[in-house]
Amino acid sequence: MLPHRSLERGAPVTDRLPQPVPGSLHHVEIWVPDLARTVADWQWLLEDLGYALHQSWENGRSWNLGSTYLVFEQSPALTGDRHDRLAPGLNHLAFHIDTADRVDLLVAKARENGWTLLFPDRHPHAGGSHQHAAYLESRDGFEIELVAPLAVQDDRSGAPSR
């Protein structure tokens, strides 16, 4: 990925991003076997989570949220046609979600958009009882985790506190 690609003529994309927190991720670049299928799988999700289209070119797209962006590129240098999340390398991307209800809504939307729910027998606590999470796999084998904290109980009344 070339850092000088831009959506607007003359202004480098990196000039329009918010000031990053030192040590935070700048970007994650994921090589994909079929860009059109990847856009169909990911665009609705990223935009629902607040990401905005950042860059678009013949072999790729990127979306940013704050100062971090995700790049999906169908590189001519690819050596395979499917991601294996169980092989060395990237296993999954995990996204913070504000509520358990929103996780459930996103799971329903994901299934409508070709994603598969992983670990359905342990859903929504496959990651442990301390969180409400969903693990989903795209048509190309990429895994995401959508994670919402459980409501904290108010010690006096037993009601969730905010």
Side-chain angles (χ1 to χ4, degrees):
M1 188 26 225
L2 301 175
H4 64 274
R5 291 187 182 131
S6 66
L7 290 172
E8 296 175 17
R9 192 174 193 168
V13 171
T14 54
D15 290 349
R16 297 182 317 202
L17 297 175
Q19 191 68 349
V21 174
S24 62
L25 287 175
H26 184 269
H27 71 276
V28 174
E29 183 165 334
I30 300 172
W31 283 12
V32 299
D34 184 310
L35 183 61
R37 185 171 57 231
T38 297
V39 169
D41 284 354
W42 288 84
Q43 181 172 353
W44 71 270
L45 172 67
L46 294 173
E47 291 176 359
D48 196 293
L49 295 176
Y51 285 76
L53 183 63
H54 180 56
Q55 300 166 301
S56 182
W57 66 101
E58 182 181 351
N59 294 324
R61 301 287 181 285
S62 70
W63 286 267
N64 77 292
L65 181 63
S67 61
T68 301
Y69 60 100
L70 298 176
V71 180
F72 299 89
E73 183 169 2
Q74 186 175 345
S75 171
L78 278 173
T79 61
D81 62 358
R82 182 164 169 83
H83 173 70
D84 182 353
R85 64 184 177 82
L86 300 177
L90 179 72
N91 177 263
H92 69 278
L93 296 176
F95 296 93
H96 289 283
I97 307 299
D98 52 351
T99 67
D101 287 344
R102 185 134 184 265
V103 168
D104 296 340
L105 176 65
L106 289 169
V107 167
K109 285 183 178 181
R111 293 173 105 173
E112 291 170 3
N113 282 280
W115 292 76
T116 302
L117 180 65
L118 299 173
F119 322 115
D121 57 319
R122 294 180 287 167
H123 176 73
H125 302 291
S129 61
H130 63 288
Q131 64 188 18
H132 187 99
Y135 296 84
L136 297 151
E137 185 177 43
S138 75
R139 292 179 287 176
D140 286 320
F142 292 99
E143 181 183 343
I144 60 169
E145 179 181 357
L146 305 175
V147 186
L150 292 178
V152 178
Q153 296 295 315
D154 183 326
D155 290 333
R156 294 166 291 165
S157 68
S161 62
R162 301 204 186 265

